[in-house]
């Protein structure tokens, strides 16, 4: 069993039945108890925060959550997702320009091949440490003027334009960092990464397609599952 899984399950059992607002074990305590790196402990706690069992309160610490998250995963942008995990999100733009839509992007955005699209590439940070490299594509006609005033949050900007993403789909693959990715993410070439391809819709209209490469040692993806009872014969 991976170390972060051991830490996660220990904390899960420890807080089972605890009153909301009960302090969780500190990262320092868990580091000393398990003899692991702080990053390993952070990954374990991140998973419990993502599940809605714990919540981080800036300046105070990590506590048993008052409210469980909904069973259906919420569609969130990076800024909102990192904020919910108690981390401070920031970004650095690497590229922002108009391009001609290639076959994959055109198909995903339901536009014609070669139509202009905004390509926005960012290095995204959580608590000042690199978390992912993200490439976003939007049909240019949907976001006029976006390149002239790049927003802090794309989802907030789409909402302002009455194009709020209401649903989407993610495709997740495991991989290893290439030379350029490794340099940007501050890891060695060949370091494990998670590649997330996303397409989001505002009602029935595709508004964004993105490709994000996350450091696998810093990002835990939580996917809730449910089983609908089947009628007995």
């Amino acid at each position: 069993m991976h170390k972060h899984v051991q830490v996660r399950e220990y904390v899960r059992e420890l807080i089972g039945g605890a009153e909301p607002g009960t302090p969780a074990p500190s990262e320092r305590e868990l580091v000393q108890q398990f003899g692991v790196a702080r990053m390993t402990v952070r990954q374990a706690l991140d998973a419990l925060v993502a599940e809605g069992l714990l919540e981080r309160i800036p300046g105070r610490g990590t506590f048993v959550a008052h409210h469980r998250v909904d069973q259906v995963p919420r569609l969130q942008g990076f800024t909102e997702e990192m904020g919910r995990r108690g981390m401070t999100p920031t970004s650095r733009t690497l590229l922002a320009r108009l391009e001609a839509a290639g076959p994959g992007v055109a198909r995903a955005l339901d536009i014609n091949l070669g139509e202009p699209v905004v390509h926005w590439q960012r290095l995204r940070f959580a608590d000042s440490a690199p978390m992912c490299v993200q490439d976003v594509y939007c049909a240019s006609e949907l976001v006029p003027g976006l390149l002239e005033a790049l927003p802090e949050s794309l989802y907030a900007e789409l909402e302002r334009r009455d194009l709020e993403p209401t649903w989407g789909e993610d495709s997740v693959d495991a991989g290893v960092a290439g030379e350029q990715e490794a340099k940007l993410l501050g890891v060695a070439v060949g370091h494990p990464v998670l590649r997330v391809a996303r397409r989001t819709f505002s009602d029935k209209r595709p508004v964004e397609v993105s490709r994000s490469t996350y450091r696998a040692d810093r990002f835990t993806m939580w996917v809730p599952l449910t089983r609908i009872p089947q009628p007995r014969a």
Side-chain angles (χ1 to χ4, degrees):
M1 183 182 293
H2 293 295
K3 286 290 187 180
H4 74 89
V5 176
Q6 289 181 316
V7 177
R8 183 192 69 201
E9 295 310 309
Y10 167 78
V11 175
R12 187 197 303 277
E13 183 175 350
L14 192 66
I15 65 175
E19 290 293 322
T22 301
S26 70
E27 291 185 7
R28 178 178 296 179
E29 292 172 8
L30 294 170
V31 165
Q32 293 175 346
Q33 181 172 346
F34 285 89
V36 296
R38 184 175 290 269
M39 187 69 71
T40 300
V41 170
R42 171 56 73 100
Q43 186 178 8
L45 295 179
D46 278 350
L48 296 175
V49 170
E51 288 185 39
L53 294 176
L54 296 178
E55 61 182 344
R56 288 196 176 96
I57 301 178
R60 290 187 55 199
T62 305
F63 303 85
V64 175
H66 285 79
H67 302 287
R68 291 295 305 272
V69 296
D70 295 336
Q71 184 70 6
V72 177
R74 295 182 60 197
L75 174 60
Q76 297 178 313
F78 182 88
T79 300
E80 186 180 4
E81 173 67 18
M82 292 303 110
R84 189 173 66 84
R85 295 182 183 219
M87 308 173 85
T88 302
T90 52
S91 299
R92 186 172 86 224
T93 293
L94 304 174
L95 179 152
R97 66 189 183 195
L98 280 180
E99 295 180 355
V105 170
R107 184 168 54 253
L109 293 176
D110 195 21
I111 59 178
N112 294 324
L113 182 66
E115 282 193 34
V117 293
V118 170
H119 177 192
W120 189 10
Q121 183 186 66
R122 286 173 286 178
L123 178 59
R124 316 212 68 173
F125 300 83
D127 288 346
S128 301
M131 177 67 83
C132 80
V133 181
Q134 184 179 73
D135 289 87
V136 172
Y137 300 85
C138 298
S140 176
E141 66 173 4
L142 288 185
V143 289
L146 181 71
L147 291 174
E148 283 68 50
L150 292 171
E152 181 177 338
S153 167
L154 176 62
Y155 281 20
E157 176 64 18
L158 290 172
E159 183 176 357
R160 189 184 70 81
R161 294 171 182 257
D162 294 324
L163 293 169
E164 179 183 8
T166 52
W167 68 282
E169 52 194 17
D170 283 353
S171 174
V172 184
D173 291 293
V176 295
E179 185 174 350
Q180 184 63 19
E181 292 171 332
K183 182 178 179 180
L184 291 169
L185 293 173
V187 297
V189 174
H191 188 85
V193 295
L194 288 176
R195 303 188 193 282
V196 181
R198 169 174 290 188
R199 184 165 67 146
T200 61
F201 298 79
S202 181
D203 194 13
K204 296 181 180 179
R205 188 175 200 175
V207 292
E208 168 225 17
V209 60
S210 66
R211 301 168 188 149
S212 303
T213 300
Y214 286 86
R215 283 182 53 163
D217 62 337
R218 297 207 68 222
F219 184 75
T220 299
M221 179 169 286
W222 177 67
V223 181
L225 303 172
T226 189
R227 181 177 174 87
I228 301 174
Q230 298 298 312
R232 294 181 181 274

